[in-house]
Amino acid sequence: MAFFTHQITRTLCSSAVRNAAIKHVTVIGGGLMGSGIAQVAAVTGHSVVLVDTSEDILKNSAKNIQGSLKRVVKKKFADKPEAGEEFVQKVMNNISTSTDAASVVQKTDLVVEAIVENLKVKQALFSTLDKVAPAHTIFVSNTSSLPIADIASSTARLDRFGGLHFFNPVPMMKLVEVSIAAGTSQQTFDALLDFTKALGKHPVSCKVSHGSKEDIDVAMKLGAGYPMGPFELLDYVGLDTSKFIIDGWYEKEPENPLFAPSPLLNKLVAEGKLGKKTGEGFYKYK
Ligand SMILES: CCCCCCC[C@H](O)CC(=O)SCCNC(=O)CCNC(=O)[C@H](O)C(C)(C)COP(=O)([O-])OP(=O)([O-])OC[C@H]1O[C@@H](n2cnc3c(N)ncnc32)[C@H](O)[C@@H]1OP(=O)([O-])[O-]
Ligand SMILES: NC(=O)c1ccc[n+]([C@@H]2O[C@H](COP(=O)([O-])OP(=O)(O)OC[C@H]3O[C@@H](n4cnc5c(N)ncnc54)[C@H](O)[C@@H]3O)[C@@H](O)[C@H]2O)c1
């Protein structure tokens, strides 16, 4: 337990955060996702301002954060309740609230938007904030479905705009998809990866590029709760067996694009790379 308490203390004032590009975070939207994001950022020593449209909503957000933190400490500080209370208080001290986004973003390194899933509403928010936020401030959206480029187009900071897709419930889910648009700079992407890691989360890159099998496997495990990612599973089953299955389905339903032959799978099978049983498939096992 002493070790854990030490860890927590380190987390709350970690030098990683002191030296990081992102120390001050504004989270807009204090609902399900925004509250969770504010919580994990505060737990890891960031100073957080949580913004919503009314004081009542923000009171409720603070109550929810406190409730979630109590669930965390109930387990982690089971035999040290005072240390648990102190931890909750320290985290809550890292969070302030506001109903005026334009005034608080003036001191922020990162704006995380978690408001209603509506393109026009998100664009209106970012367009306003773009005019008042400092030049260095990075904007991200937690959108589930909207293209980051479409949201970013409401601003003049395309190089400092990206997506951080957290998963619900944020305090429990390790996965964060870090996505960027065509104009996002490498510096912004790196800062977002570092921030995600500083939160204790596992980032997967969602650049518009050929997918990496590792990212896809991690995303399916941490985001969708699969015990193995699809590539790990194919290797486990055997790529020759998988090819027989897919070819059989394709023969029956040649019009179904899901069963179309996979050039990569066919190549690996032709090379004798049949998965775990031969020591190599999508991954190497030797
Ligand atoms: C139509 C299109 C729709 C598209 C939707 C897209 C959505 C979006 O973009 C993507 C997503 O997020 S997709 C969604 C992705 N999300 C998923 O797939 C989620 C799937 N669900 C899960 O993985 C599990 O149910 C959980 C891990 C959430 C909970 O674990 P469980 O085993 O079911 O058990 P439990 O009994 O509940 O809790 C056990 C203990 O865990 C702890 N704890 C739990 N919650 C906590 C919190 N909020 N705070 C703090 N602590 C929390 C606590 O210690 C608790 O003990 P307590 O004594 O009760 O305090
Ligand atoms: N719910 C999920 O499982 C989930 C998971 C990942 C991503 N997301 C995405 O996160 C975003 C938020 O989802 P949620 O589930 O937290 O929604 P929610 O309805 O719980 O919360 C949204 C909050 O935003 C506030 N809000 C709306 N407009 C605002 C504005 N202009 N300024 C400040 N606050 C404003 C609302 O008052 C509300 O408190 C959406 O884009 C959603 O797609 C949701």
Side-chain angles (χ1 to χ4, degrees):
M1 184 52 66
F3 171 73
F4 181 75
T5 312
H6 177 62
Q7 287 282 89
I8 293 288
T9 316
R10 271 186 32 205
T11 304
L12 282 168
C13 51
S14 91
S15 61
V17 171
R18 269 200 304 275
N19 300 330
I22 295 171
K23 299 182 192 69
H24 305 286
V25 182
T26 299
V27 179
I28 317 232
L32 208 51
M33 297 305 290
S35 297
I37 297 165
Q39 177 180 329
V40 296
V43 164
T44 48
H46 298 84
S47 90
V48 181
V49 185
L50 182 59
V51 177
D52 210 301
T53 49
S54 80
E55 294 294 348
D56 279 350
I57 295 176
L58 287 167
K59 267 191 201 140
N60 198 41
S61 311
K63 204 172 121 212
N64 289 338
I65 294 172
Q66 219 155 358
S68 172
L69 286 170
K70 282 185 178 157
R71 292 178 80 180
V72 172
V73 300
K74 193 176 73 187
K75 280 206 175 131
K76 305 286 189 191
F77 291 92
D79 55 352
K80 273 200 172 178
E82 304 82 33
E85 272 169 39
E86 193 188 326
F87 171 71
V88 172
Q89 202 45 55
K90 272 187 177 165
V91 174
M92 293 310 289
N93 287 347
N94 282 348
I95 305 176
S96 58
T97 58
S98 173
T99 53
D100 182 7
S103 71
V104 296
V105 292
Q106 284 160 17
K107 293 190 203 85
T108 206
D109 302 316
L110 174 71
V111 173
V112 182
E113 169 273 310
I115 66 169
V116 58
E117 185 75 343
N118 176 302
L119 180 61
K120 288 212 160 62
V121 179
K122 287 187 195 289
Q123 285 177 331
L125 173 73
F126 278 121
S127 162
T128 305
L129 298 185
D130 191 34
K131 298 181 182 81
V132 288
H136 80 279
T137 306
I138 297 174
F139 288 179
V140 296
S141 174
N142 182 50
T143 179
S144 300
S145 62
L146 302 168
I148 291 300
D150 291 0
I151 309 174
S153 67
S154 60
T155 73
R157 60 180 76 209
L158 302 185
D159 56 328
R160 284 148 291 147
F161 206 113
L164 286 183
H165 185 210
F166 290 83
F167 287 70
N168 180 25
V170 181
M172 301 299 293
M173 303 296 285
K174 286 280 172 209
L175 181 68
V176 177
E177 291 177 329
V178 181
S179 54
I180 58 172
T184 315
S185 70
Q186 187 64 40
Q187 198 184 347
T188 297
F189 181 63
D190 292 343
L192 294 178
L193 283 183
D194 287 347
F195 174 66
T196 308
K197 288 180 196 158
L199 298 182
K201 300 292 185 193
H202 192 121
V204 297
S205 152
C206 297
K207 278 183 179 180
V208 180
S209 66
H210 295 294
S212 132
K213 59 183 184 303
E214 291 83 1
D215 278 350
I216 293 168
D217 279 347
V218 168
M220 292 311 288
K221 284 188 284 188
L222 297 185
Y226 283 33
M228 280 185 185
F231 295 101
E232 287 169 317
L233 184 64
L234 284 167
D235 274 359
Y236 186 62
V237 169
L239 300 192
D240 49 347
T241 306
S242 305
K243 179 169 155 52
F244 281 126
I245 294 168
I246 294 170
D247 288 350
W249 284 336
Y250 181 63
E251 229 177 273
K252 281 196 172 152
E253 287 187 36
E255 71 292 342
N256 188 335
L258 288 176
F259 305 145
S262 152
L264 178 56
L265 178 68
N266 292 348
K267 178 174 175 286
L268 289 170
V269 172
E271 290 169 356
K273 294 174 181 164
L274 306 183
K276 255 189 138 169
K277 61 188 172 188
T278 59
E280 185 171 349
F282 288 104
Y283 294 96
K284 284 199 171 100
Y285 298 90
K286 283 171 199 160

